[in-house]
């Protein structure tokens, strides 16, 4: 019969083993992955699991009395010491004994426990393929028959603790995997929504704002900035221009130039990531994210790269949409401008209309259109919203108009006061800082210059610069058409020899004046003995006499008076708002100047008539008839004299 203490220990060991077996059976019933087990490939990673399992087993059994009679030592199947309950003062001897027992059983490959002096070694098997993976050694100072049972039951209990710990780790891995999967699913959903919101935007500013907001939601403990490689006015301080100062050491510039992700980490642990924001056509900037190392997981990197790629495509689409709308608006604007310009063939109206349109299109403060006067070799301000600039004259070498005239190229000035390349009366007098200017070209020659200015610096964009060039082409065509029309009309209403107006133009003007003015006078001038001059000196001299007399008439009348060649050697002058007595004095001035200044000397006879709104019959024919009768009377009374026709 066993001693009481031994029976007590044995009974306790049985109870522990039974409880462990019950737990294992319960675990087997409730856990769905009961067939999961360690594999041979897991051997390098078993050490912490065995240590934790031994600690768990020891905690379960530390209240039992079996540790008072013996100690336990655990080895893996490679004879590595895992852990033990041996006290420090006897550790070396006990471990040595345990190692011998464990080595014996491992070397023999037996599945039975090994008995040596004071030690029982029991292999622990896997639950699926019954493969030994560690050895539990029980050591007592005195050998008892119950040692074998204690060792066996302890091994079973340890195996239960091991698999419980193994299952906990397995579940932990599953939970971590599930959390990671849930996180990735959540991240994918967030990315999908962010991508949808990005692609829903058709405005460049909205795309950029949405992208930065999405970054803040995905990475709440970070700071995001976007560095754009192209001009874009954006009120968000996180959107900045991309500047290449030191590309070798600048994270952002390096990422843009190399076209790939670039990262760096500061000494304080702050991590910075820069990735190009690219579309199908080009790279538009760099997205930079600054985050603490603790708040960053490398698993977040694909999402960051995907968002940058999505933002690049959305930005490109918005930019293309913006450019398409801009082109459509420009075409509509140009079409409307061309239609409006072609409605008038008067140069003054075209210049004035063009000035008004340019101010509105570019939201500018000032506009000047200059035309080159080739006879005087100077630019003349034909139209401007600056009263002080009206009819100003400039040398073709002066100011910005001089640069445009010399280069035949448009120009853009972002800030006149900081980059004062030339003096400009337009900019100085108005205080303007931004300027765009373009030549008005006719057959590749500069015929004028258009200048548009604004008080603010950096006001005009490159698109404005290009649009002004296109608009100048259509303005140039309108000016050319109006000039050609004016020239054709001048030729139609002008006598080629004398340079005076044609007779039909004089008739039209008198008829028009009689509908508006209260009175007017007509002088008919006839060169005396003109046939004799032709017969004596020849028709060439006769033509010269006609030109001389015409020039004298032109110099003797007012700017608003109308002189015309009435026919042959007869000339006519209509004087709006003049009575016959004043007309007589003007005719006398013409007569005396002709007699004194012509070579060969000739004389003229003149007939004068007038009309007033009080006349019963007002017509061009009656006015000419009375003047013609007066001229006939002057010629019949000796020539070189003036007669005034009387109203009937």
């Amino acid at each position: 019969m066993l001693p009481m203490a031994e029976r007590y220990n044995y009974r306790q060991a049985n109870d522990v083993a039974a409880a462990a077996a019950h737990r294992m059976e319960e675990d087997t019933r409730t856990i769905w992955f009961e067939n999961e087990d360690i594999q041979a490939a897991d051997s390098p990673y078993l050490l912490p699991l065995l240590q934790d399992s031994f600690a768990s087993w020891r905690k379960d059994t530390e209240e039992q009395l079996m540790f008072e009679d013996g100690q336990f030592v655990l080895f893996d199947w490679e004879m590595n010491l895992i852990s033990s309950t041996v006290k420090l003062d006897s550790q070396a001897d006990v471990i040595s004994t345990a190692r011998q027992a464990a080595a014996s059983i491992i070397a023999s490959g037996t599945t039975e426990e090994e008995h040596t002096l004071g030690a029982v070694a029991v292999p622990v098997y896997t639950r699926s393929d019954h493969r030994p993976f560690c050895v539990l050694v029980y050591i007592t100072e005195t050998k008892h028959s119950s040692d074998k049972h204690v060792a066996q039951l302890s091994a079973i209990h340890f195996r239960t603790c091991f698999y419980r710990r193994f299952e906990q780790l397995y579940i932990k891995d599953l939970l971590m995997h599930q959390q990671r999967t849930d996180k990735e699913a959540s991240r994918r959903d967030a990315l999908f929504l962010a991508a949808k919101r990005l692609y829903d935007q058709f405005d460049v500013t909205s795309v950029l704002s949405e992208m930065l907001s999405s970054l803040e939601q995905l990475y709440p403990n970070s700071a995001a900035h976007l560095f754009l490689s192209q001009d874009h006015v954006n009120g968000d301080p996180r959107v900045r221009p991309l500047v290449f100062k030191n590309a070798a050491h600048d994270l952002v510039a390096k990422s843009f130039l190399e076209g790939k992700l670039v990262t760096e980490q500061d000494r304080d642990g702050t991590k910075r990531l820069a990735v190009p924001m690219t579309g199908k056509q080009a790279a538009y900037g760099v997205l930079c994210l600054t985050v603490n190392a603790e708040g960053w997981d490398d698993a977040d990197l694909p999402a960051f790269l995907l968002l940058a790629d999505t933002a690049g495509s959305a930005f490109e689409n918005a930019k293309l949409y913006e450019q398409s709308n801009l082109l459509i608006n420009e075409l509509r604007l140009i079409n409307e401008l061309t239609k409006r310009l072609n409605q008038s063939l008067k140069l003054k109206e075209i210049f004035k209309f063009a000035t008004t349109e340019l101010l509105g299109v570019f939201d500018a403060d000032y506009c000047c259109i200059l035309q080159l006067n080739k006879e005087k070799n100077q630019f003349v301000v034909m139209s401007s919203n600056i009263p002080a600039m009206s009819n100003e004259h400039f040398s073709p070498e002066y100011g910005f108009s001089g640069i445009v005239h010399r280069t035949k190229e448009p120009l853009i000035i972002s800030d006149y006061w900081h980059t004062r390349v030339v003096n400009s009366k337009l900019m100085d007098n108005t205080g303007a800082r931004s300027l765009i200017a373009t030549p008005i070209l006719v057959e590749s020659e500069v015929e004028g210059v258009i200048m548009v200015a604004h008080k603010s610096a950096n006001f005009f964009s490159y698109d404005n610069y290009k649009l002004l060039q296109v608009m100048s082409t259509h303005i140039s065509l309108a000016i050319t058409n109006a000039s050609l029309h004016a020239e054709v009309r001048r030729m139609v209403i002008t006598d080629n020899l004398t340079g005076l107006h044609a007779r039909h133009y004089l008739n039209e003007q008198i008829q028009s004046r009689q509908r508006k003015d209260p009175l007017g006078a007509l002088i008919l001038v006839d060169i005396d003995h003109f046939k004799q001059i032709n017969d004596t000196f020849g028709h060439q001299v006769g033509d010269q006499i006609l030109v001389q007399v015409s020039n004298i008439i032109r110099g003797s009348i007012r700017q608003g008076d109308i002189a015309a060649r009435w026919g042959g050697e007869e000339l006519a002058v209509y004087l709006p708002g003049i009575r016959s007595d004043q007309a007589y004095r003007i005719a006398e001035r013409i007569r005396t100047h002709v007699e004194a200044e012509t070579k060969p000397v000739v004389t003229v006879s003149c007939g004068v008539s007038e009309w007033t709104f009080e006349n019963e019959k007002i017509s061009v024919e009656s006015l000419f008839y009375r003047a013609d009768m007066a001229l006939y009377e002057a010629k019949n009374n000796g020539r070189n004299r003036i007669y005034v026709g009387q109203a009937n």
Side-chain angles (χ1 to χ4, degrees):
M1 174 173 271
L2 291 172
M4 183 63 68
E6 290 184 9
R7 281 182 294 172
Y8 181 75
N9 289 342
Y10 181 68
R11 189 163 51 251
Q12 282 188 322
N14 282 333
D15 292 342
V16 171
H22 178 72
R23 271 199 306 273
M24 184 175 70
E25 182 181 356
E26 185 177 323
D27 290 344
T28 303
R29 289 198 308 271
T30 58
I31 299 177
W32 59 268
F33 47 84
E34 59 182 351
N35 293 325
E36 292 296 332
D37 205 344
I38 60 173
Q39 306 297 327
D42 296 331
S43 298
Y45 311 103
L46 283 180
L47 177 62
L49 180 58
L50 290 171
Q51 289 174 338
D52 289 347
S53 301
F54 190 85
S56 177
W57 170 79
R58 184 174 181 177
K59 183 178 180 181
D60 284 351
T61 58
E62 64 184 357
E63 296 179 358
Q64 309 302 323
L65 299 177
M66 56 185 172
F67 289 158
E68 295 182 358
D69 296 331
Q71 301 295 331
F72 291 88
V73 182
L74 182 67
F75 295 93
D76 64 11
W77 207 246
E78 302 297 329
M79 281 302 298
N80 298 311
L81 175 64
I82 303 301
S83 189
S84 72
T85 62
V86 181
K87 298 177 181 179
L88 292 177
D89 54 354
S90 59
Q91 186 173 23
D93 295 337
V94 173
I95 295 298
S96 177
T97 303
R99 188 179 297 277
Q100 292 176 5
S104 176
I105 199 169
I106 291 174
S108 64
T110 180
T111 59
E112 300 295 334
E113 65 276 6
E114 181 69 21
H115 296 266
T116 61
L117 184 61
V120 180
V122 181
V124 181
Y125 303 98
T126 59
R127 63 185 178 185
S128 59
D129 54 2
H130 203 66
R131 175 177 52 82
F133 63 92
C134 65
V135 178
L136 183 66
V137 181
Y138 178 55
I139 302 173
T140 59
E141 294 180 357
T142 59
K143 187 174 181 179
H144 300 286
S145 57
S146 62
D147 292 349
K148 175 182 177 181
H149 297 288
V150 171
Q152 289 175 338
L153 293 174
S154 297
I156 294 172
H157 184 197
F158 172 77
R159 182 171 178 265
T160 302
C161 293
F162 173 82
Y163 276 104
R164 184 172 69 238
R165 185 61 180 162
F166 168 78
E167 289 164 356
Q168 289 174 352
L169 291 176
Y170 188 78
I171 292 175
K172 183 178 180 181
D173 287 343
L174 286 177
L175 290 175
M176 290 179 63
H177 179 74
Q178 183 63 38
Q179 289 174 354
R180 191 178 298 108
T181 302
D182 292 344
K183 183 178 180 181
E184 290 176 358
S186 176
R187 182 64 52 81
R188 281 196 301 271
D189 292 342
L191 284 172
F192 175 78
L193 293 175
K196 185 177 183 301
R197 290 194 300 269
L198 283 171
Y199 283 120
D200 284 344
Q201 307 300 326
F202 292 99
D203 178 68
V204 173
T205 301
S206 299
V207 168
L208 298 181
S209 299
E210 185 61 47
M211 179 194 64
L212 293 170
S213 298
S214 298
L215 275 175
E216 289 179 349
Q217 293 176 7
L218 290 170
Y219 308 102
N221 296 321
S222 65
H225 292 90
L226 176 64
F227 297 87
L228 284 179
S229 60
Q230 53 186 241
D231 293 339
H232 179 70
V233 179
N234 193 297
D236 196 326
R238 297 171 297 179
V239 179
R240 303 172 182 176
L242 179 58
V243 181
F244 298 91
K245 291 184 178 180
N246 188 356
H249 299 88
D250 185 1
L251 180 78
V252 173
K254 187 176 180 181
S255 175
F256 183 82
L257 293 174
E258 295 181 358
K260 64 180 182 180
L261 172 71
V262 178
T263 62
E264 66 179 17
Q265 190 162 345
D266 298 336
R267 294 180 179 178
D268 60 357
T270 302
K271 192 167 187 176
R272 298 179 67 219
L273 304 93
V275 62
M277 187 181 73
T278 59
K280 293 182 179 179
Q281 297 182 349
Y284 300 100
V286 174
L287 190 59
C288 186
L289 189 69
T290 304
V291 61
N292 293 329
E294 298 80 12
W296 175 259
D297 186 352
D298 287 340
D300 297 332
L301 185 59
F304 176 62
L305 296 176
L306 181 59
L307 182 62
D309 186 62
T310 303
S313 298
F315 179 85
E316 184 175 74
N317 292 340
K319 199 70 177 175
L320 291 173
Y321 180 79
E322 184 182 81
Q323 291 173 353
S324 298
N325 284 338
L326 182 62
L327 289 174
I328 292 171
N329 291 334
E330 287 181 1
L331 290 173
R332 187 183 295 114
L333 175 66
I334 291 167
N335 181 58
E336 183 66 23
L337 176 70
T338 304
K339 184 171 69 175
R340 294 282 302 276
L341 286 171
N342 291 334
Q343 287 177 355
S344 176
L345 289 172
K346 296 181 180 179
L347 276 173
K348 285 187 177 180
E349 291 182 0
I350 289 174
F351 283 125
K352 184 177 180 180
F353 171 74
T355 299
T356 303
E357 286 297 303
L358 291 170
L359 287 169
V361 168
F362 297 107
D363 195 21
D365 292 325
Y366 311 105
C367 178
C368 280
I369 302 180
L370 300 89
Q371 189 176 31
L372 183 63
N373 187 326
K374 294 183 178 179
E375 295 180 359
K376 297 181 180 180
N377 191 30
Q378 58 185 9
F379 278 114
V380 182
V381 177
M382 303 301 295
S383 178
S384 175
N385 67 324
I386 310 166
M389 296 289 291
S390 299
N391 297 318
E392 279 276 5
H393 298 74
F394 300 101
S395 165
E397 304 299 324
Y398 175 78
F400 292 115
S401 59
I403 295 177
V404 174
H405 179 257
R406 183 174 64 257
T407 62
K408 299 183 181 180
E409 296 290 339
L411 60 83
I412 180 169
I413 302 297
S414 298
D415 194 344
Y416 171 72
W417 298 106
H418 286 174
T419 56
R420 192 185 184 94
V421 292
V422 293
N423 291 325
S424 170
K425 192 171 184 179
L426 167 65
M427 307 298 280
D428 291 335
N429 289 358
T430 61
R433 299 179 67 175
S434 299
L435 174 76
I436 46 176
T438 188
I440 299 174
L441 296 174
V442 178
E443 296 182 354
S444 301
E445 294 296 326
V446 177
E447 295 290 332
V449 176
I450 299 173
M451 296 195 294
V452 182
H454 196 276
K455 294 178 180 178
S456 302
N458 304 300
F459 183 79
F460 298 113
S461 66
Y462 183 67
D463 290 331
N464 296 147
Y465 171 77
K466 292 189 296 182
L467 179 59
L468 182 61
Q469 297 177 56
V470 177
M471 294 182 68
S472 71
T473 302
H474 294 274
I475 293 172
S476 172
L477 289 173
I479 292 173
T480 301
N481 290 338
S483 299
L484 290 173
H485 180 268
E487 180 62 20
V488 170
R489 178 171 173 77
R490 187 194 67 78
M491 293 173 65
V492 169
I493 66 174
T494 303
D495 178 67
N496 290 334
L497 176 62
T498 62
L500 300 179
H501 292 295
R503 179 172 178 173
H504 70 86
Y505 178 77
L506 178 65
N507 292 342
E508 292 171 2
Q509 290 299 308
I510 294 175
Q511 190 175 31
S512 174
R513 292 286 186 169
Q514 286 181 335
R515 289 195 293 266
K516 298 184 295 183
D517 297 344
L519 51 88
L522 176 69
I523 303 173
L524 289 182
V525 181
D526 183 78
I527 301 175
D528 298 329
H529 305 295
F530 188 70
K531 185 177 182 304
Q532 292 181 5
I533 294 173
N534 284 332
D535 293 342
T536 303
F537 299 101
H539 288 280
Q540 187 173 1
V541 173
D543 289 345
Q544 292 176 2
I545 290 296
L546 273 172
V547 172
Q548 291 178 41
V549 173
S550 298
N551 290 337
I552 290 171
I553 291 175
R554 204 164 18 236
S556 302
I557 61 177
R558 301 169 300 176
Q559 185 175 0
D561 298 335
I562 304 168
R565 186 177 181 183
W566 198 43
E569 71 276 13
E570 293 181 338
L571 309 172
V573 180
Y574 179 71
L575 308 167
I578 294 293
R579 298 300 297 261
S580 58
D581 54 344
Q582 294 173 286
Y584 183 90
R585 290 194 292 272
I586 294 172
E588 179 62 22
R589 184 162 62 241
I590 293 172
R591 187 192 69 78
T592 55
H593 279 283
V594 168
E595 187 175 10
E597 298 174 7
T598 54
K599 292 183 181 180
V601 177
V602 295
T603 60
V604 294
S605 299
C606 302
V608 178
S609 66
E610 69 171 12
W611 71 272
T612 67
F613 69 95
E614 298 172 346
N615 295 145
E616 294 181 1
K617 185 179 180 181
I618 300 175
S619 68
V620 177
E621 291 79 8
S622 63
L623 184 65
F624 269 100
Y625 178 78
R626 292 195 301 272
D628 192 33
M629 290 298 100
L631 176 62
Y632 180 77
E633 190 174 352
K635 293 176 76 68
N636 283 341
N637 285 281
R639 294 183 172 83
N640 194 20
R641 62 194 66 235
I642 303 167
Y643 273 78
V644 178
Q646 301 298 322
N648 294 332

